[in-house]
């Protein structure tokens, strides 16, 4: 293939999506885009147009790539200009016209260019297309968020059924996380070149560095991303199907999934309960991130909330707030809400208290006076030197949180003692001291020394 002057035509292959972001997981689609730089004809005895030559070349490449089974590592060319209706190889001129702000590309297609990365073919052409991408995406008006929201709502309606959480397309799932980060990249990448990266980890770090996102929030969303990637890989391995990304509804399947991705029963807390707790945490983190830095209206389901949303969002309706509080069975919903917010505080502390909420709900179900536990705890953090470290300690030891909740819910005297002497908190929830009868005299001596 060559142009009219006889100069050779070059081609390059680009990765998009997970492949472009160097983040392939188990059974990820391999999303490819092929671009050639010159129109013209081939120089053989039976010449054809360059467009036809490169279409034949790409089709032959795709033909020889075989997945191990249907739905596993499928090559995907749908992000090329005009999708399945367009040629499998596109000219540089067509690429530029299609992805221009006034071109035919949908907002989602333009946004997908955040993950475009040259992976094969002519290196110089690859760099040229990447520079052109920067100009078309980062130095032009960002993709239309209204169009993105409409597409998101349609995907949710089609792919996320009621009653079972879809880990990719559910409200607060991986799709919301990735899309919101890409929106922020497109909006601020012109002023901050570090945001022009195909890596979501680097993008989140750059958002914090450029102060477009609070540092603690960037860190929490990074953890959420890693969690969802691990969870989706586990579901795909469990079922052997790349398309079925719903959380298991059967208890034995949930336990199998939890163990497959590394959870083990820890201090009496079952592996599946740990997994469900983390799903509650990280989906709420994602929804809070979207609501704060994009728009609450972008979330496809305003009723998709859990108790942790109370800590990360200020935009919840009265009905959504009531639904999120329901697991606490509060005698006074407003006071319960205020106590939870007071416990969470702000900054990094929110993340560590939020991680305790799933187990906290489980423990409060067993208590006759659950409101008392929250009331005493809210008062106690006011006199603590480091509430964040206190929450970290309880989070690392489910047995300690269990003991701590019982102390606060069942004994006014112990709660008052801890309030006057907060230094005793860590000691008081050590399981060996409270469970092993051999230590009763040690407890008695310690308490006797605090009478003054």
């Amino acid at each position: 293939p060559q142009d009219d002057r006889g100069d050779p035509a070059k081609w390059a292959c680009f990765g998009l999506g997970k492949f472009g972001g160097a983040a392939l997981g188990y059974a990820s689609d391999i999303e490819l885009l092929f671009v050639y730089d010159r129109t013209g004809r081939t120089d053989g005895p039976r010449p054809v147009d360059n467009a036809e030559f490169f279409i034949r070349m790409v089709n032959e490449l795709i033909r020889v790539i075989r997945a191990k089974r249907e739905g596993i590592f499928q090559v995907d060319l749908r992000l090329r200009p005009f999708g399945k209706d367009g040629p499998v190889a596109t000219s540089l001129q067509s690429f530029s016209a299609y992805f221009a702000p006034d071109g035919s590309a949908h907002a989602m297609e333009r946004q997908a260019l955040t993950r475009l990365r040259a992976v094969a073919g002519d290196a110089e052409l690859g760099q040229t297309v990447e520079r052109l991408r920067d100009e078309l995406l980062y130095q032009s008006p960002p993709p239309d968020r209204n169009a993105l929201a409409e597409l998101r709502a349609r995907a949710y309606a089609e792919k996320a059924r009621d009653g079972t959480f879809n880990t990719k397309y559910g409200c607060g799932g991986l799709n919301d996380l990735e899309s919101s980060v890409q929106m922020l990249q497109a909006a601020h990448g012109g002023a901050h070149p570090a945001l022009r990266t195909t890596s979501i980890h680097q993008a989140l770090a750059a958002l914090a560095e450029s102060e477009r996102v609070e540092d603690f929030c960037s860190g929490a969303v990074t953890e959420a991303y890693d969690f969802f990637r691990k969870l989706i890989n586990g579901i795909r391995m469990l079922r052997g199907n790349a398309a079925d990304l719903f959380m298991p509804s059967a208890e034995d399947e949930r336990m199998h999934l939890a163990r497959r991705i590394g959870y083990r029963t820890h201090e009496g807390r079952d592996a599946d309960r740990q997994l469900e707790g983390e799903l509650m945490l990280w989906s709420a983190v994602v929804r809070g991130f979207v609501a704060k830095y994009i728009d609450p209206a972008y979330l496809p389901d305003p009723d998709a909330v859990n108790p942790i949303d109370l800590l990360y969002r200020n935009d919840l309706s009265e009905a959504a707030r009531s639904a999120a509080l329901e697991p606490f069975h509060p005698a006074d919903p407003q006071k319960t809400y205020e106590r939870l917010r007071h416990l969470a505080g702000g900054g990094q502390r929110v993340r560590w208290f939020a991680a305790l909420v799933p187990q906290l709900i489980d423990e409060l179900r067993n208590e006759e006076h659950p409101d008392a536990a929250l009331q005493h705890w809210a008062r106690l953090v006011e006199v603590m030197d480091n509430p964040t470290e206190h929450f970290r300690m309880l989070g690392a030891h489910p047995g300690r949180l269990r003991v701590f909740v019982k102390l606060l819910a069942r004994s006014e005297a112990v709660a008052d003692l801890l309030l006057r002497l907060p230094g005793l908190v860590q000691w008081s929830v050590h399981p060996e001291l409270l469970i092993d009868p051999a230590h009763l005299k040690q407890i008695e001596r310690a308490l006797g020394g605090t009478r003054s």
Side-chain angles (χ1 to χ4, degrees):
Q2 57 188 7
D3 64 15
D4 295 337
R5 297 180 300 179
D7 293 328
K10 303 173 183 177
W11 67 274
C13 175
F14 302 86
L16 292 161
K18 294 290 190 301
F19 185 39
L24 282 176
Y26 186 84
S28 294
D29 286 343
I30 302 176
E31 295 176 307
L32 301 178
L33 172 67
F34 291 86
V35 178
Y36 59 94
D37 67 346
R38 301 169 190 264
T39 59
R41 293 176 68 79
T42 60
D43 63 353
R46 291 177 294 174
V48 297
D49 287 343
N50 288 352
E52 183 179 348
F53 174 88
F54 285 112
I55 288 171
R56 290 185 184 183
M57 184 195 79
V58 172
N59 284 331
E60 182 66 12
L61 276 171
I62 302 309
R63 188 187 67 79
V64 301
I65 298 175
R66 285 286 179 265
K68 297 178 73 173
R69 66 178 70 169
E70 185 178 357
I72 303 295
F73 292 115
Q74 289 292 307
V75 174
D76 187 351
L77 302 177
R78 289 175 297 175
L79 285 178
R80 66 186 187 268
F82 300 102
K84 63 181 181 180
D85 296 324
V88 293
T90 187
S91 69
L92 183 60
Q93 182 179 5
S94 295
F95 175 90
S96 179
Y98 185 78
F99 288 108
D102 58 350
S104 302
H106 188 276
M108 182 277 293
E109 294 176 291
R110 288 191 64 222
Q111 182 167 282
L113 294 179
T114 56
R115 299 290 175 263
L116 181 141
R117 175 173 64 96
V119 296
D122 186 81
E124 184 178 353
L125 177 58
Q127 294 172 0
T128 296
V129 173
E130 288 179 339
R131 287 194 298 269
L132 179 59
R133 179 273 317 275
D134 289 352
E135 179 182 325
L136 296 173
L137 181 64
Y138 296 118
Q139 297 172 19
S140 302
D144 183 359
R145 289 189 178 182
N146 290 330
L148 292 169
E150 290 175 7
L151 190 66
R152 174 68 185 104
R154 188 159 65 247
Y156 180 76
E158 294 173 355
K159 299 179 180 179
R161 64 174 177 258
D162 292 337
T164 307
F165 187 79
N166 186 304
T167 52
K168 182 174 182 178
Y169 293 104
C171 187
L174 183 64
N175 183 272
D176 285 332
L177 189 159
E178 291 180 320
S179 182
S180 59
V181 172
Q182 291 171 3
M183 286 186 199
L184 293 172
Q185 286 182 262
H188 305 297
H192 303 284
L195 287 170
R196 305 172 196 174
T197 173
T198 64
S199 164
I200 199 163
H201 287 91
Q202 292 176 11
L204 283 163
L207 284 168
E209 182 68 24
S210 64
E211 299 184 347
R212 293 297 175 179
V213 168
E214 292 169 284
D215 185 64
F216 77 89
C217 191
S218 171
V221 176
T222 301
E223 289 187 77
Y225 176 76
D226 293 339
F227 166 78
F228 277 113
R229 291 296 310 281
K230 177 178 70 174
L231 177 59
I232 287 173
N233 284 339
I235 291 174
R236 284 174 167 166
M237 286 188 283
L238 182 67
R239 295 183 177 142
N241 186 330
D244 186 355
L245 298 178
F246 291 96
M247 282 294 291
S249 55
E251 184 177 349
D252 58 342
E253 192 181 10
R254 287 199 306 273
M255 181 64 81
H256 190 181
L257 172 63
R259 290 173 175 168
R260 176 177 282 275
I261 60 179
Y263 293 91
R264 297 291 182 269
T265 298
H266 178 48
E267 295 187 9
R269 189 151 177 83
D270 290 339
D272 61 334
R273 294 301 293 161
Q274 294 175 53
L275 171 57
E276 290 171 11
E278 290 216 15
L279 179 60
M280 179 188 292
L281 169 64
W282 298 123
S283 61
V285 164
V286 172
R287 288 189 292 270
F289 181 72
V290 174
K292 182 171 184 177
Y293 293 105
I294 305 299
D295 189 332
Y298 182 78
L299 292 167
D301 185 358
D303 296 325
V305 295
N306 69 48
I308 299 176
D309 285 272
L310 298 166
L311 312 180
Y312 281 101
R313 297 177 62 183
N314 298 317
D315 63 288
L316 296 180
S317 66
E318 196 65 36
R321 182 186 293 187
S322 296
L325 283 168
E326 190 174 336
F328 291 99
H329 302 289
D332 186 329
Q334 181 60 29
K335 285 186 177 179
T336 298
Y337 172 71
E338 291 171 359
R339 287 164 183 161
L340 291 170
R341 295 283 297 210
H342 180 70
L343 282 161
Q348 192 69 20
R349 176 171 148 183
V350 180
R351 178 256 183 271
W352 292 105
F353 177 71
L356 300 177
V357 169
Q359 187 189 350
L360 173 63
I361 292 171
D362 289 344
E363 303 302 341
L364 290 177
R365 287 196 187 105
N366 301 320
E367 300 303 324
E368 186 176 353
H369 304 290
D371 289 324
L374 290 178
Q375 179 186 359
H376 295 321
W377 201 0
R379 293 171 60 204
L380 187 57
V381 296
E382 291 182 356
V383 296
M384 284 183 174
D385 292 332
N386 193 340
T388 300
E389 188 57 35
H390 165 66
F391 296 147
R392 287 168 63 104
M393 180 269 293
L394 292 177
H397 301 281
R400 295 189 180 190
L401 179 60
R402 187 173 300 116
V403 170
F404 186 64
V405 170
K406 292 182 187 301
L407 287 175
L408 296 182
R410 300 184 184 185
S411 175
E412 190 84 27
V414 170
D416 287 341
L417 176 64
L418 294 178
L419 189 63
R420 285 185 281 116
L421 298 166
L424 285 178
V425 169
Q426 185 166 348
W427 173 85
S428 70
V429 296
H430 198 292
E432 291 183 2
L433 293 178
L434 294 173
I435 295 171
D436 188 347
H439 291 285
L440 288 175
K441 291 187 179 297
Q442 182 180 356
I443 296 172
E444 190 176 74
R445 287 196 301 271
L447 292 176
T450 65
R451 287 173 186 166
S452 59

